[in-house]
Amino acid sequence: MNSGRSQAAVEFLSVYGYMFIIVAIVIATIALFINLPSYTLPFQCTFYSGFTCSDATLLMTNGGSALVLEATAAQPGVVAVQSFNAVLNAKSSTSGYCTPQNVIQGQTIYCVADFGFTPNPTLVYSGTFDVYSNYCAVAPQNVSTVSCTPASNTIFGGSIRVQPTASAISVNAIIANAVTTSYYVPITIVNQQYAPSSAPFQQEITFLPSNTAYTPYESNTLGNIRFYYYNTELPSWCEINCLSNSVTNAIFWVRLPFAIQPSSNVVIKMEFLSNTVGYDGVFAGEAPNQSANYAQYDNGNVVFNFYDDFAGSSLSALWIPANQNGGKIMVSNGLLLESTGSNEIASITSNIPFTTTVKSFIVEALLNAYGSSGTGIMDNMTAYAGTGLATVNYGYYSKSSGAQPQYYWLGTYTGTAVPLPSAATNYNIMDQQMFSNLSYFTWNDISYPGGSLIMSNGITVGITGQIRPEFFTQTAPGSSSTSQLYIEFVRIRGMPPNYVMPSAVMGPVTQQS
């Protein structure tokens, strides 16, 4: 009996004994690492939030040492870095910085902390670090109507374990090697006129995204394109063909903070960030109808002197509404002014006046007159409440006869028909009102998005006092017709020199150095 039990015990140990040995080794290894001091543990770099750390190096320098972190911004929004510091083995850094200073989600950043001690290459150094910054969160929709005020004193911290490198590579070499992985296109903006542009000035940039020289660096939606003047990022807004890098022509508007002087040129850069980076709605945005959700990345309020995309369901504080006899003002990701029945009026007037200190500017509205019918209809978009400029003497749309609305100018129908839209959201007219030195008024209507001029009229008129853009619909007394005006956005931009947009000459794709 005893021999049988002994035999069973031997067989059990021979079959399962090795498993006990392996489990014992694993437990011993875990216990060993738990009880080891941190300086003997392997490399580790972890951000608690906001960034993903991809690499870290502790370098020996002439003055001591420098910790260099490479990380990717993971937080939606814009992080404006103020400073960077770290503590290694209870020793605090003497100074620190990050480059670039402003980063968005998906962008790579390099942070450097300088130390006064010379590290021992045989040791592993452990500690913590902090990125001090201002953080500006980006709303998922309707960015153009959200106040984006940076929150101060936002800290993105983390922990680090790193062993010094014995290599002679410098901090600048690490960052420079990383920077050269990005590419840009130099753009020379040429003003051939004997007059300066306004300041600030919105420069139009048109280029071919399907150009095979650009496609290796573009994201599918062109959202990784940024514009710079030296090291200063310039706000940009993509208006047309922003959804694909296989289109023929894309149009961007770039805000220059200065005037382009007569017979001169300036050079800016169109830089390609990582193709995982998209529009952020702050530095880089797009027209409201170009994103998946209406106005999701619209930053027109940053690029233009005045802007509204009528996002959401209520009229913004940019406008003063007024109606008469039941005229309707409706906002639903776009604006509808509607007058039906006898002597109805629906109007909006800018709450922001433009005074005589504003010498030259252009008011533009992307719109259509879909659904208008009958007689005595006035879809007026050139009336201004300002001394010297009458509110009824200039151009508007009217359908008093004919198959479709016509243009009206100084009391006379022009005979030029308004292009008919296919739907309420088919914004097919760019209504343009130009003021030159507050003395000459021009009304242009341009087919959209084709860009051909449909009609143009102008008059010399002395303007003093305040000027406020105004849009309204009106029906005549006794009328039973309908007057409808659909508007996607209204913007005001600076006047090009002598009405001529400076040319933008694209250079070759260049590796960042």
Side-chain angles (χ1 to χ4, degrees), residues 276-295:
T276 61
V277 173
Y279 297 103
D280 61 13
V282 179
F283 289 110
E286 57 185 350
N289 62 0
Q290 293 289 305
S291 51
N293 298 314
Y294 186 85

mmCIF file with all atom_site columns, all heavy atoms in Angstrom, residues 276-295:
data_model
loop_
_atom_site.group_PDB
_atom_site.id
_atom_site.type_symbol
_atom_site.label_atom_id
_atom_site.label_alt_id
_atom_site.label_comp_id
_atom_site.label_asym_id
_atom_site.label_entity_id
_atom_site.label_seq_id
_atom_site.pdbx_PDB_ins_code
_atom_site.Cartn_x
_atom_site.Cartn_y
_atom_site.Cartn_z
_atom_site.occupancy
_atom_site.B_iso_or_equiv
_atom_site.pdbx_formal_charge
_atom_site.auth_seq_id
_atom_site.auth_comp_id
_atom_site.auth_asym_id
_atom_site.auth_atom_id
_atom_site.pdbx_PDB_model_num
ATOM 1   N N   . THR A 1 276 ? -1.190  62.574 -39.919 1.00 0.00 ? 276 THR A N   1
ATOM 2   C CA  . THR A 1 276 ? -2.229  62.212 -38.949 1.00 0.00 ? 276 THR A CA  1
ATOM 3   C C   . THR A 1 276 ? -2.864  63.447 -38.325 1.00 0.00 ? 276 THR A C   1
ATOM 4   O O   . THR A 1 276 ? -3.855  63.344 -37.604 1.00 0.00 ? 276 THR A O   1
ATOM 5   C CB  . THR A 1 276 ? -1.642  61.347 -37.824 1.00 0.00 ? 276 THR A CB  1
ATOM 6   O OG1 . THR A 1 276 ? -0.627  62.095 -37.123 1.00 0.00 ? 276 THR A OG1 1
ATOM 7   C CG2 . THR A 1 276 ? -1.030  60.073 -38.378 1.00 0.00 ? 276 THR A CG2 1
ATOM 8   N N   . VAL A 1 277 ? -2.293  64.629 -38.606 1.00 0.00 ? 277 VAL A N   1
ATOM 9   C CA  . VAL A 1 277 ? -2.810  65.891 -38.067 1.00 0.00 ? 277 VAL A CA  1
ATOM 10  C C   . VAL A 1 277 ? -3.937  66.392 -38.963 1.00 0.00 ? 277 VAL A C   1
ATOM 11  O O   . VAL A 1 277 ? -3.857  66.300 -40.184 1.00 0.00 ? 277 VAL A O   1
ATOM 12  C CB  . VAL A 1 277 ? -1.685  66.938 -37.965 1.00 0.00 ? 277 VAL A CB  1
ATOM 13  C CG1 . VAL A 1 277 ? -2.233  68.295 -37.562 1.00 0.00 ? 277 VAL A CG1 1
ATOM 14  C CG2 . VAL A 1 277 ? -0.624  66.479 -36.973 1.00 0.00 ? 277 VAL A CG2 1
ATOM 15  N N   . GLY A 1 278 ? -4.981  66.935 -38.356 1.00 0.00 ? 278 GLY A N   1
ATOM 16  C CA  . GLY A 1 278 ? -6.103  67.465 -39.123 1.00 0.00 ? 278 GLY A CA  1
ATOM 17  C C   . GLY A 1 278 ? -6.357  68.924 -38.803 1.00 0.00 ? 278 GLY A C   1
ATOM 18  O O   . GLY A 1 278 ? -5.585  69.568 -38.088 1.00 0.00 ? 278 GLY A O   1
ATOM 19  N N   . TYR A 1 279 ? -7.439  69.464 -39.341 1.00 0.00 ? 279 TYR A N   1
ATOM 20  C CA  . TYR A 1 279 ? -7.847  70.826 -39.012 1.00 0.00 ? 279 TYR A CA  1
ATOM 21  C C   . TYR A 1 279 ? -8.100  70.911 -37.512 1.00 0.00 ? 279 TYR A C   1
ATOM 22  O O   . TYR A 1 279 ? -8.621  69.970 -36.894 1.00 0.00 ? 279 TYR A O   1
ATOM 23  C CB  . TYR A 1 279 ? -9.113  71.211 -39.769 1.00 0.00 ? 279 TYR A CB  1
ATOM 24  C CG  . TYR A 1 279 ? -8.958  71.238 -41.267 1.00 0.00 ? 279 TYR A CG  1
ATOM 25  C CD1 . TYR A 1 279 ? -9.456  70.213 -42.059 1.00 0.00 ? 279 TYR A CD1 1
ATOM 26  C CD2 . TYR A 1 279 ? -8.311  72.297 -41.897 1.00 0.00 ? 279 TYR A CD2 1
ATOM 27  C CE1 . TYR A 1 279 ? -9.316  70.226 -43.436 1.00 0.00 ? 279 TYR A CE1 1
ATOM 28  C CE2 . TYR A 1 279 ? -8.170  72.328 -43.275 1.00 0.00 ? 279 TYR A CE2 1
ATOM 29  C CZ  . TYR A 1 279 ? -8.666  71.288 -44.041 1.00 0.00 ? 279 TYR A CZ  1
ATOM 30  O OH  . TYR A 1 279 ? -8.522  71.310 -45.403 1.00 0.00 ? 279 TYR A OH  1
ATOM 31  N N   . ASP A 1 280 ? -7.753  72.064 -36.910 1.00 0.00 ? 280 ASP A N   1
ATOM 32  C CA  . ASP A 1 280 ? -7.962  72.208 -35.467 1.00 0.00 ? 280 ASP A CA  1
ATOM 33  C C   . ASP A 1 280 ? -9.007  73.267 -35.133 1.00 0.00 ? 280 ASP A C   1
ATOM 34  O O   . ASP A 1 280 ? -9.403  73.410 -33.981 1.00 0.00 ? 280 ASP A O   1
ATOM 35  C CB  . ASP A 1 280 ? -6.654  72.535 -34.744 1.00 0.00 ? 280 ASP A CB  1
ATOM 36  C CG  . ASP A 1 280 ? -6.018  73.835 -35.201 1.00 0.00 ? 280 ASP A CG  1
ATOM 37  O OD1 . ASP A 1 280 ? -6.681  74.632 -35.900 1.00 0.00 ? 280 ASP A OD1 1
ATOM 38  O OD2 . ASP A 1 280 ? -4.849  74.068 -34.859 1.00 0.00 ? 280 ASP A OD2 1
ATOM 39  N N   . GLY A 1 281 ? -9.468  74.030 -36.125 1.00 0.00 ? 281 GLY A N   1
ATOM 40  C CA  . GLY A 1 281 ? -10.471 75.046 -35.855 1.00 0.00 ? 281 GLY A CA  1
ATOM 41  C C   . GLY A 1 281 ? -9.942  76.275 -35.163 1.00 0.00 ? 281 GLY A C   1
ATOM 42  O O   . GLY A 1 281 ? -10.709 77.164 -34.799 1.00 0.00 ? 281 GLY A O   1
ATOM 43  N N   . VAL A 1 282 ? -8.629  76.361 -34.961 1.00 0.00 ? 282 VAL A N   1
ATOM 44  C CA  . VAL A 1 282 ? -8.020  77.533 -34.333 1.00 0.00 ? 282 VAL A CA  1
ATOM 45  C C   . VAL A 1 282 ? -7.012  78.149 -35.293 1.00 0.00 ? 282 VAL A C   1
ATOM 46  O O   . VAL A 1 282 ? -7.247  79.203 -35.871 1.00 0.00 ? 282 VAL A O   1
ATOM 47  C CB  . VAL A 1 282 ? -7.348  77.170 -32.995 1.00 0.00 ? 282 VAL A CB  1
ATOM 48  C CG1 . VAL A 1 282 ? -6.696  78.395 -32.363 1.00 0.00 ? 282 VAL A CG1 1
ATOM 49  C CG2 . VAL A 1 282 ? -8.359  76.576 -32.029 1.00 0.00 ? 282 VAL A CG2 1
ATOM 50  N N   . PHE A 1 283 ? -5.882  77.479 -35.520 1.00 0.00 ? 283 PHE A N   1
ATOM 51  C CA  . PHE A 1 283 ? -4.917  77.965 -36.501 1.00 0.00 ? 283 PHE A CA  1
ATOM 52  C C   . PHE A 1 283 ? -5.317  77.557 -37.920 1.00 0.00 ? 283 PHE A C   1
ATOM 53  O O   . PHE A 1 283 ? -5.074  78.284 -38.863 1.00 0.00 ? 283 PHE A O   1
ATOM 54  C CB  . PHE A 1 283 ? -3.521  77.415 -36.192 1.00 0.00 ? 283 PHE A CB  1
ATOM 55  C CG  . PHE A 1 283 ? -2.887  78.009 -34.974 1.00 0.00 ? 283 PHE A CG  1
ATOM 56  C CD1 . PHE A 1 283 ? -2.726  77.252 -33.839 1.00 0.00 ? 283 PHE A CD1 1
ATOM 57  C CD2 . PHE A 1 283 ? -2.480  79.327 -34.953 1.00 0.00 ? 283 PHE A CD2 1
ATOM 58  C CE1 . PHE A 1 283 ? -2.152  77.793 -32.702 1.00 0.00 ? 283 PHE A CE1 1
ATOM 59  C CE2 . PHE A 1 283 ? -1.908  79.884 -33.826 1.00 0.00 ? 283 PHE A CE2 1
ATOM 60  C CZ  . PHE A 1 283 ? -1.741  79.109 -32.693 1.00 0.00 ? 283 PHE A CZ  1
ATOM 61  N N   . ALA A 1 284 ? -5.876  76.380 -38.057 1.00 0.00 ? 284 ALA A N   1
ATOM 62  C CA  . ALA A 1 284 ? -6.226  75.854 -39.374 1.00 0.00 ? 284 ALA A CA  1
ATOM 63  C C   . ALA A 1 284 ? -7.688  75.437 -39.372 1.00 0.00 ? 284 ALA A C   1
ATOM 64  O O   . ALA A 1 284 ? -8.101  74.599 -38.571 1.00 0.00 ? 284 ALA A O   1
ATOM 65  C CB  . ALA A 1 284 ? -5.332  74.662 -39.724 1.00 0.00 ? 284 ALA A CB  1
ATOM 66  N N   . GLY A 1 285 ? -8.472  76.027 -40.264 1.00 0.00 ? 285 GLY A N   1
ATOM 67  C CA  . GLY A 1 285 ? -9.889  75.717 -40.319 1.00 0.00 ? 285 GLY A CA  1
ATOM 68  C C   . GLY A 1 285 ? -10.383 75.616 -41.742 1.00 0.00 ? 285 GLY A C   1
ATOM 69  O O   . GLY A 1 285 ? -9.615  75.733 -42.702 1.00 0.00 ? 285 GLY A O   1
ATOM 70  N N   . GLU A 1 286 ? -11.684 75.410 -41.869 1.00 0.00 ? 286 GLU A N   1
ATOM 71  C CA  . GLU A 1 286 ? -12.291 75.265 -43.189 1.00 0.00 ? 286 GLU A CA  1
ATOM 72  C C   . GLU A 1 286 ? -13.698 75.833 -43.168 1.00 0.00 ? 286 GLU A C   1
ATOM 73  O O   . GLU A 1 286 ? -14.298 76.025 -42.101 1.00 0.00 ? 286 GLU A O   1
ATOM 74  C CB  . GLU A 1 286 ? -12.300 73.796 -43.613 1.00 0.00 ? 286 GLU A CB  1
ATOM 75  C CG  . GLU A 1 286 ? -13.010 72.876 -42.656 1.00 0.00 ? 286 GLU A CG  1
ATOM 76  C CD  . GLU A 1 286 ? -12.896 71.410 -43.049 1.00 0.00 ? 286 GLU A CD  1
ATOM 77  O OE1 . GLU A 1 286 ? -12.432 71.114 -44.163 1.00 0.00 ? 286 GLU A OE1 1
ATOM 78  O OE2 . GLU A 1 286 ? -13.268 70.543 -42.233 1.00 0.00 ? 286 GLU A OE2 1
ATOM 79  N N   . ALA A 1 287 ? -14.222 76.092 -44.347 1.00 0.00 ? 287 ALA A N   1
ATOM 80  C CA  . ALA A 1 287 ? -15.559 76.662 -44.487 1.00 0.00 ? 287 ALA A CA  1
ATOM 81  C C   . ALA A 1 287 ? -16.593 75.727 -43.855 1.00 0.00 ? 287 ALA A C   1
ATOM 82  O O   . ALA A 1 287 ? -16.367 74.516 -43.758 1.00 0.00 ? 287 ALA A O   1
ATOM 83  C CB  . ALA A 1 287 ? -15.874 76.901 -45.958 1.00 0.00 ? 287 ALA A CB  1
ATOM 84  N N   . PRO A 1 288 ? -17.731 76.273 -43.419 1.00 0.00 ? 288 PRO A N   1
ATOM 85  C CA  . PRO A 1 288 ? -18.680 75.463 -42.640 1.00 0.00 ? 288 PRO A CA  1
ATOM 86  C C   . PRO A 1 288 ? -19.207 74.238 -43.356 1.00 0.00 ? 288 PRO A C   1
ATOM 87  O O   . PRO A 1 288 ? -19.481 73.219 -42.728 1.00 0.00 ? 288 PRO A O   1
ATOM 88  C CB  . PRO A 1 288 ? -19.806 76.453 -42.320 1.00 0.00 ? 288 PRO A CB  1
ATOM 89  C CG  . PRO A 1 288 ? -19.646 77.581 -43.281 1.00 0.00 ? 288 PRO A CG  1
ATOM 90  C CD  . PRO A 1 288 ? -18.187 77.671 -43.551 1.00 0.00 ? 288 PRO A CD  1
ATOM 91  N N   . ASN A 1 289 ? -19.345 74.297 -44.683 1.00 0.00 ? 289 ASN A N   1
ATOM 92  C CA  . ASN A 1 289 ? -19.904 73.158 -45.414 1.00 0.00 ? 289 ASN A CA  1
ATOM 93  C C   . ASN A 1 289 ? -18.849 72.158 -45.856 1.00 0.00 ? 289 ASN A C   1
ATOM 94  O O   . ASN A 1 289 ? -19.145 71.208 -46.575 1.00 0.00 ? 289 ASN A O   1
ATOM 95  C CB  . ASN A 1 289 ? -20.691 73.652 -46.638 1.00 0.00 ? 289 ASN A CB  1
ATOM 96  C CG  . ASN A 1 289 ? -19.806 74.394 -47.629 1.00 0.00 ? 289 ASN A CG  1
ATOM 97  O OD1 . ASN A 1 289 ? -18.603 74.539 -47.420 1.00 0.00 ? 289 ASN A OD1 1
ATOM 98  N ND2 . ASN A 1 289 ? -20.409 74.887 -48.704 1.00 0.00 ? 289 ASN A ND2 1
ATOM 99  N N   . GLN A 1 290 ? -17.599 72.347 -45.434 1.00 0.00 ? 290 GLN A N   1
ATOM 100 C CA  . GLN A 1 290 ? -16.527 71.464 -45.868 1.00 0.00 ? 290 GLN A CA  1
ATOM 101 C C   . GLN A 1 290 ? -16.255 70.320 -44.888 1.00 0.00 ? 290 GLN A C   1
ATOM 102 O O   . GLN A 1 290 ? -15.563 69.370 -45.239 1.00 0.00 ? 290 GLN A O   1
ATOM 103 C CB  . GLN A 1 290 ? -15.234 72.267 -46.070 1.00 0.00 ? 290 GLN A CB  1
ATOM 104 C CG  . GLN A 1 290 ? -15.277 73.256 -47.217 1.00 0.00 ? 290 GLN A CG  1
ATOM 105 C CD  . GLN A 1 290 ? -15.280 72.579 -48.575 1.00 0.00 ? 290 GLN A CD  1
ATOM 106 O OE1 . GLN A 1 290 ? -14.419 71.783 -48.904 1.00 0.00 ? 290 GLN A OE1 1
ATOM 107 N NE2 . GLN A 1 290 ? -16.284 72.899 -49.380 1.00 0.00 ? 290 GLN A NE2 1
ATOM 108 N N   . SER A 1 291 ? -16.770 70.413 -43.680 1.00 0.00 ? 291 SER A N   1
ATOM 109 C CA  . SER A 1 291 ? -16.506 69.378 -42.675 1.00 0.00 ? 291 SER A CA  1
ATOM 110 C C   . SER A 1 291 ? -17.708 68.455 -42.522 1.00 0.00 ? 291 SER A C   1
ATOM 111 O O   . SER A 1 291 ? -18.811 68.761 -42.987 1.00 0.00 ? 291 SER A O   1
ATOM 112 C CB  . SER A 1 291 ? -16.149 70.019 -41.337 1.00 0.00 ? 291 SER A CB  1
ATOM 113 O OG  . SER A 1 291 ? -17.100 70.982 -40.973 1.00 0.00 ? 291 SER A OG  1
ATOM 114 N N   . ALA A 1 292 ? -17.496 67.327 -41.845 1.00 0.00 ? 292 ALA A N   1
ATOM 115 C CA  . ALA A 1 292 ? -18.558 66.337 -41.675 1.00 0.00 ? 292 ALA A CA  1
ATOM 116 C C   . ALA A 1 292 ? -19.745 66.919 -40.917 1.00 0.00 ? 292 ALA A C   1
ATOM 117 O O   . ALA A 1 292 ? -20.901 66.659 -41.258 1.00 0.00 ? 292 ALA A O   1
ATOM 118 C CB  . ALA A 1 292 ? -18.008 65.103 -40.962 1.00 0.00 ? 292 ALA A CB  1
ATOM 119 N N   . ASN A 1 293 ? -19.464 67.689 -39.870 1.00 0.00 ? 293 ASN A N   1
ATOM 120 C CA  . ASN A 1 293 ? -20.494 68.394 -39.124 1.00 0.00 ? 293 ASN A CA  1
ATOM 121 C C   . ASN A 1 293 ? -20.390 69.877 -39.449 1.00 0.00 ? 293 ASN A C   1
ATOM 122 O O   . ASN A 1 293 ? -19.286 70.429 -39.476 1.00 0.00 ? 293 ASN A O   1
ATOM 123 C CB  . ASN A 1 293 ? -20.328 68.177 -37.621 1.00 0.00 ? 293 ASN A CB  1
ATOM 124 C CG  . ASN A 1 293 ? -20.465 66.725 -37.233 1.00 0.00 ? 293 ASN A CG  1
ATOM 125 O OD1 . ASN A 1 293 ? -21.381 66.042 -37.679 1.00 0.00 ? 293 ASN A OD1 1
ATOM 126 N ND2 . ASN A 1 293 ? -19.547 66.237 -36.418 1.00 0.00 ? 293 ASN A ND2 1
ATOM 127 N N   . TYR A 1 294 ? -21.516 70.520 -39.675 1.00 0.00 ? 294 TYR A N   1
ATOM 128 C CA  . TYR A 1 294 ? -21.507 71.916 -40.103 1.00 0.00 ? 294 TYR A CA  1
ATOM 129 C C   . TYR A 1 294 ? -20.654 72.774 -39.164 1.00 0.00 ? 294 TYR A C   1
ATOM 130 O O   . TYR A 1 294 ? -20.830 72.757 -37.936 1.00 0.00 ? 294 TYR A O   1
ATOM 131 C CB  . TYR A 1 294 ? -22.934 72.458 -40.133 1.00 0.00 ? 294 TYR A CB  1
ATOM 132 C CG  . TYR A 1 294 ? -23.053 73.854 -40.708 1.00 0.00 ? 294 TYR A CG  1
ATOM 133 C CD1 . TYR A 1 294 ? -23.162 74.050 -42.076 1.00 0.00 ? 294 TYR A CD1 1
ATOM 134 C CD2 . TYR A 1 294 ? -23.039 74.970 -39.877 1.00 0.00 ? 294 TYR A CD2 1
ATOM 135 C CE1 . TYR A 1 294 ? -23.264 75.329 -42.608 1.00 0.00 ? 294 TYR A CE1 1
ATOM 136 C CE2 . TYR A 1 294 ? -23.147 76.246 -40.394 1.00 0.00 ? 294 TYR A CE2 1
ATOM 137 C CZ  . TYR A 1 294 ? -23.255 76.429 -41.773 1.00 0.00 ? 294 TYR A CZ  1
ATOM 138 O OH  . TYR A 1 294 ? -23.347 77.689 -42.293 1.00 0.00 ? 294 TYR A OH  1
ATOM 139 N N   . ALA A 1 295 ? -19.705 73.507 -39.744 1.00 0.00 ? 295 ALA A N   1
ATOM 140 C CA  . ALA A 1 295 ? -18.838 74.448 -39.016 1.00 0.00 ? 295 ALA A CA  1
ATOM 141 C C   . ALA A 1 295 ? -17.968 73.777 -37.957 1.00 0.00 ? 295 ALA A C   1
ATOM 142 O O   . ALA A 1 295 ? -17.510 74.425 -37.019 1.00 0.00 ? 295 ALA A O   1
ATOM 143 C CB  . ALA A 1 295 ? -19.663 75.562 -38.372 1.00 0.00 ? 295 ALA A CB  1
#
